[in-house]
Amino acid sequence: MRPNPVRMMIMFLLLAMIFGCSVQQEPHANETQPQMPKKTEEPADTVKTVKGADVIDMHGMVENRGQLDAFAGQTEGKQRLVRYTIEGDPIYYDLTHKEGHVELRVDTTKDKFGQGEVRTYSCDKLNREETDTLIRYKLTGCDGEQKEMELLEIPFDVSKQDRFEFVLKYGPSGTNEINTVDYKLVKDLGNDQMVEVSDFGIPEQDRQKIYRELVLAGYLNKKKLSSTCKQQDGDRYNLNVFINGGNRQFEWKSCDESVDGRQMTAAVKKIIGIVHAGSIYQSLPKTPADQGK
């Protein structure tokens, strides 16, 4: 009987498949084997986050920065930093003091345009550096090729802004005023007496300090502030910031004890202190409160 060529072809293919599955090819001497990808750990966002405990970086506006300062000064504990991309995706940075080192765990699994992995690094310490125009948090003494890793940078260079002006009204009745838009300074002397300075200006170095306080207070973030707290005494604040082509307005009382309230009150008190220390304000008539200091 003549062999069936179709049947022989099928048998040949079957033998080839069996042989191919049972034999492992060895790489040539000059070939480099591909490295296996690093094992992905459990994504950080599966861990429950305590509200208000994380440091949040939303495009340069940072909330709860003090938590990072506290961690840098400690030798134990944990801290999470969440940074958001332009597209609004979170990247998680989990810091842990561990056996005299700082462990950094970076999770990009929620970043649609990122590498989608979790990597862990060990560094010696977290350093905080500050200049007149920025604060930088940097990890040093890290393992691997990258010995230093920048964790977060907060710039506040007022000279980089096309426009920065503000109007701040403050005091028990909100009648004191620092106004760089209309070049005006108003002081309430009490007993229905007011004194006003026209052509008022703030020195550039003081403008830089004021802009720093607003950036560190996260003035571009959404703020929940209250001007209806039950406490009758205290100061009222009305702040309008004009930045480049936009503006942000806030109104609250010093008795607002929320996180945002305390943060904004601390910022405007520093701003008021900067202006009050200036020669123009010092030349104004004293109030009984000023004389009692």
Side-chain angles (χ1 to χ4, degrees):
M1 174 182 277
R2 178 178 292 181
N4 188 322
V6 175
R7 183 178 296 175
M8 293 181 66
M9 180 62 69
I10 293 173
M11 291 180 64
F12 177 80
L13 291 173
L14 288 171
L15 289 170
M17 290 175 63
I18 294 170
F19 182 77
C21 292
S22 61
V23 177
Q24 294 181 350
Q25 292 185 347
E26 294 294 331
H28 296 293
N30 57 352
E31 276 187 349
T32 302
Q33 288 183 296
Q35 293 184 354
M36 295 297 291
K38 185 177 181 179
K39 182 180 178 181
T40 301
E41 303 176 35
E42 182 182 11
D45 60 333
T46 61
V47 182
K48 185 176 180 180
T49 299
V50 179
K51 186 177 181 181
D54 295 346
V55 179
I56 308 295
D57 175 20
M58 183 67 75
H59 311 144
M61 289 292 107
V62 180
E63 296 182 3
N64 304 323
R65 180 185 54 86
Q67 308 268 30
L68 205 55
D69 289 338
F71 179 87
Q74 296 169 348
T75 56
E76 59 182 23
K78 298 181 179 181
Q79 182 59 54
R80 173 178 289 177
L81 164 67
V82 185
R83 302 185 65 184
Y84 286 86
T85 66
I86 297 297
E87 297 78 18
D89 298 329
I91 299 176
Y92 298 93
Y93 298 80
D94 286 319
L95 295 159
T96 304
H97 285 293
K98 186 172 291 187
E99 298 178 353
H101 292 78
V102 176
E103 181 184 271
L104 171 64
R105 188 170 178 269
V106 184
D107 179 358
T108 61
T109 56
K110 293 298 181 182
D111 180 7
K112 291 189 291 290
F113 299 96
Q115 296 178 333
E117 61 184 6
V118 180
R119 288 185 175 273
T120 302
Y121 307 88
S122 179
C123 303
D124 287 341
K125 64 182 299 186
L126 174 63
N127 292 317
R128 179 187 186 276
E129 303 172 357
E130 181 169 358
T131 69
D132 291 339
T133 57
L134 64 83
I135 292 176
R136 178 185 292 117
Y137 295 89
K138 184 169 60 175
L139 289 159
T140 58
C142 301
D143 54 9
E145 295 181 0
Q146 195 172 354
K147 300 301 181 183
E148 294 186 352
M149 300 178 63
E150 185 174 299
L151 184 67
L152 178 65
E153 183 176 287
I154 309 173
F156 39 81
D157 188 350
V158 72
S159 67
K160 298 289 181 64
Q161 310 307 315
D162 294 331
R163 185 192 186 199
F164 169 63
E165 307 294 345
F166 69 95
V167 178
L168 172 61
K169 297 180 180 180
Y170 60 98
S173 302
T175 48
N176 296 287
E177 184 175 346
I178 303 168
N179 187 330
T180 68
V181 177
D182 299 321
Y183 308 101
K184 184 171 65 173
L185 178 64
V186 179
K187 182 177 182 180
D188 187 345
L189 300 176
N191 298 321
D192 296 325
Q193 293 184 344
M194 311 287 289
V195 62
E196 179 176 326
V197 176
S198 57
D199 296 328
F200 169 71
I202 297 178
E204 195 62 27
Q205 62 181 9
D206 287 344
R207 285 170 59 84
Q208 174 60 58
K209 293 177 183 178
I210 290 170
Y211 184 64
R212 172 192 183 276
E213 294 303 328
L214 290 173
V215 170
L216 296 185
Y219 78 105
L220 288 181
N221 294 329
K222 292 182 180 179
K223 298 288 185 183
K224 292 183 179 180
L225 300 169
S226 174
S227 58
T228 59
C229 41
K230 295 179 180 179
Q231 186 177 335
Q232 295 299 318
D233 55 355
D235 289 334
R236 292 182 174 274
Y237 300 112
N238 189 306
L239 173 65
N240 200 349
V241 182
F242 300 87
I243 185 71
N244 300 325
N247 73 291
R248 294 281 287 155
Q249 188 165 11
F250 311 90
E251 186 174 359
W252 76 102
K253 289 181 67 175
S254 58
C255 54
D256 183 348
E257 287 296 320
S258 66
V259 173
D260 288 338
R262 292 196 304 270
Q263 191 174 43
M264 291 300 292
T265 298
V268 296
K269 282 185 174 180
K270 289 183 179 179
I271 292 170
I272 292 167
I274 291 168
V275 174
H276 284 193
S279 59
I280 295 176
Y281 189 89
Q282 290 294 313
S283 68
L284 299 179
K286 306 296 184 184
T287 67
D290 294 333
Q291 295 172 356
K293 290 181 179 179

